[in-house]
Amino acid sequence: MPARNLLAGLHARFGGRAGRHRVMRRGRPVLRGSSEPRAVELSFGSPKPAELSPASELGTVAVADAAISTTSAIDAASIASELAEAAAPVPLAPVAERPIEDALLSGLGSGQNPAPAVAGSTSDPGLTPKPSASGSNGRSGADAAPGADAPGEGSSVENRNEEGAAVADPDTPGNGTTEHDAGADGPSDLPAGPVDQPPADLTPVDEQSVDEPQVAEAPVDAPALLEPVPAASEPESEPPSAEAALPAPDSENQELENLELQNTVVAQWNELALQAIREDKPVPTVITRSLHLAHAAMYDAWAAFDAGAAGAYFNPRPVHRRARRRMAEDTQERAVSTAAHHTLSQLFPSHTDRFDGLLDQLGYGADGGRRNHASRVGLRAARTVLRRRANDGSNARNDYADNSGYAPMNDPDDPDLDPNYWTPLKVPNGSAVDENGIPIVTEDPSSYDVQTPLTPHWGQVDPFAISSGRDFRPVAPPQFDDFSPYTDAHGVVSSNDAAYRSQFTEVAQLSAALTPEQKVIAEYWADGPNSSTPPGHWNEFAQDIALREDHGLEQDVKLFFALNNALMDTGIAIWDAKYAHDYVRPQTAIRYLFADEEIAAWGGPNQGTQMIPGSTWQPYQDVTFVTPAFPEYTSGHSGFSYAAASVLEAFTGSDRLYDGISRGAQDLDRDGQPDLIGSYSTDTLAFEQYEGEPISLQWDTVWDAAAEAGRSRLYGGIHIQDGDLRARAMGKAVAEVAWQASEALFTAKLGRRPRRRGRSGRAARNHLLEPVIQSVESTLDGALTTASDGLLAASDALNAALNLSQSVENFLN
């Protein structure tokens, strides 16, 4: 039959070549049926092959022969399988430490209290500020393993596009590496403004001589809390549900409108990622990693076509820069979109239909994409980023489960709990309610859920730019029943016990006197369930700024890449501090301090301010969320906000947020049109009912927004003063390092790896072997891609043959 003859011909064409396999001849890999190995000159950048140690020569020769041998799909697959067995990864030494130079940050990572601050510190009217003076005290937390940064990789050789211009082919081996280091010791482009810019509702602390420390003991009782207040009237109706929390979009149409408003494909993919985050169970740390991976893949795919930039993880060799400059933006958009689609589909598998829809809408769908050069580059970039971060300490393979061995010091039912340590809370789940329909905790275990600590291991995750989160760990927070000196974030000196009582009493006092505006501030920045969390919130601000500034593809690729690099590293540093200090939350501390007293406080949804037993105090939050399930010190909101503000100002050259004219991509007030950038208005509350005039928030600068985000956590009863202010300093310091590392990649050209400091012994040997190891990995990646394309072509040919055979048989029959 003709079909059998055709299939026999295909077998002869493809199957005959499968018999060739590799053997070792004098220690060098050779293909049977081929001639002796040819002499080939390879350039690995720095160091050159001549500078490599003798132990690495065999690896160099193997790479050379492997590069020559990738001439067919079958040969490439054979080489790939052998290289996979031989090329074990060599661990790389972490990035060298970078000292923190800002005097305001001198206490971070030192185990000592920082020097007293100058005038301009913050305090609420209900809390009398103490005079500042110098002091020294602090305890260091448990050490966290420093994270190692992930190396870059990739390869390319010359190829020709349809017009005959030379382009970089992603499917052929080569090299080129880069590293996200903390950068040189040169000046920073970040603003040098104050770390803790006080909001308008706070009064400054008078400056005192550093030679005259004044230790002030705060009274045990708080008179402002113990004064009786009129009883609140009965609520007229039930409070709104927890799902009313802000700022989740209210419909799929709203989400589509947000996408249509974006200027670039980068911002569109960013918005799709945030939509997926809002619908899933958001965890701030995991979200920072996901956004970093997505935007690193987009940036690396874009950088593959840019002559002046280097990728963070993926670097095809820039053989012909002039040709790369001539790449049309549509080509880069296709590569960026393919990278985003693949990465987000891996990170949010339940939302692949949404990602497929945008890819099809952009015209870059799966049909024909596999054979498109730009699509292949984007796919390789995404796969490389995911592979490089697969073992970064996050335990992503096991759904980010904790592997640190952390266990809380206190149990929710422990009558003798230690008031210095975090205690998991019993959170009402709504199965039991009081006479007003408010969810409550009863003796029935089914009425509540006990908190499980979220990602205690996150301080051990490999950062992008910083050496380790531990380097930014602040001094210990104030300790109950410890009468040694303590210097707070404003430079005020008292005893640990006095500072403890003072700062937690301040939170209780704020609760008793919350204004409608302060409640809106607490709700707007809560970023709890059904939100994109604080990291996503600042990505929304970035979308607005990018839209206002009319960013193109290059600007948005760089902006969102730099922003999410800083946010991920800040999350690592903040979580290192959280579980190193394992500090108590306000709900536990206030109930402990005032267990046998009645205090004035917020009485619950629609109850106003009441005299309540101190043992029942609750923060102004959604009653089914109450407090995040991790320790207090330091504040994630404050750290994320100051890191983001730092990067946004450094990238745009301006801290301007509100201008009274420009509208962004969000419609949080749901009035049918995009909101003015840097503002928010509402005539309702999410945590209880409100009938009154609309309330508007406005932030003239990104620093105003960042400061309000940090302060909101005191209004909401989630953090104390030092948990807020110390985190602001951490976020700013981490962002400086992350920005320098990101900016270095923007102008890295060949993407050469910066020289490390203080390397010796095994680390130095590993450093010398890095070019060989990365080239082997690059060859493996290229060989697998070539093999995949070849097998795909063979599969298409076989399918065509079978179809032809069937057609012939049908005709003959």
Side-chain angles (χ1 to χ4, degrees), residues 281-297:
K281 183 179 180 181
V283 178
T285 48
V286 174
I287 287 167
T288 62
R289 180 182 183 271
S290 297
L291 291 173
H292 166 72
L293 264 61
H295 284 285

Side-chain angles (χ1 to χ4, degrees), residues 604-625:
N606 304 319
Q607 301 301 307
T609 298
Q610 297 182 351
M611 295 300 295
I612 65 171
S615 59
T616 65
W617 186 89
Q618 60 183 323
Y620 182 75
Q621 294 290 315
D622 182 339
V623 292
T624 60
F625 184 67

Side-chain angles (χ1 to χ4, degrees), residues 8 43 56-57 101 107 124 131 149 154 164 166 190 198 236 248 296 396 401 534 549 602 605 615 670 686 744 785:
S43 175
S56 66
E57 291 180 358
E101 299 170 356
D124 263 283
D149 56 348
L190 281 174
E236 297 181 358
E549 301 300 321
W602 180 64
S615 59
R670 299 173 184 136
T785 303

Side-chain angles (χ1 to χ4, degrees), residues 549-681:
E549 301 300 321
D550 197 25
H551 278 186
L553 178 67
E554 176 178 349
Q555 291 168 303
D556 268 4
V557 161
K558 293 179 177 179
L559 170 62
F560 286 95
F561 172 65
L563 173 63
N564 288 292
N565 294 342
L567 290 173
M568 183 179 75
D569 279 10
T570 298
I572 292 169
I574 293 289
W575 254 250
D576 169 83
K578 280 184 178 295
Y579 285 96
H581 295 297
D582 199 16
Y583 198 52
V584 61
R585 286 281 186 178
Q587 174 163 314
T588 303
I590 292 171
R591 290 185 175 189
Y592 184 88
L593 287 175
F594 302 103
D596 300 324
E597 304 172 39
E598 282 201 344
I599 62 174
W602 180 64
N606 304 319
Q607 301 301 307
T609 298
Q610 297 182 351
M611 295 300 295
I612 65 171
S615 59
T616 65
W617 186 89
Q618 60 183 323
Y620 182 75
Q621 294 290 315
D622 182 339
V623 292
T624 60
F625 184 67
V626 188
T627 293
F630 35 81
E632 188 273 344
Y633 191 77
T634 56
S635 167
H637 278 65
S638 305
F640 290 133
S641 296
Y642 267 71
S646 299
V647 172
L648 291 176
E649 181 177 25
F651 188 90
T652 63
S654 170
D655 64 358
R656 175 60 53 190
L657 192 58
Y658 179 81
D659 61 12
I661 300 173
S662 305
R663 294 189 178 272
Q666 313 298 324
D667 180 19
L668 299 183
D669 57 14
R670 299 173 184 136
D671 63 355
Q673 62 178 336
D675 301 332
L676 287 171
I677 296 175
S679 68
Y680 170 72
S681 297

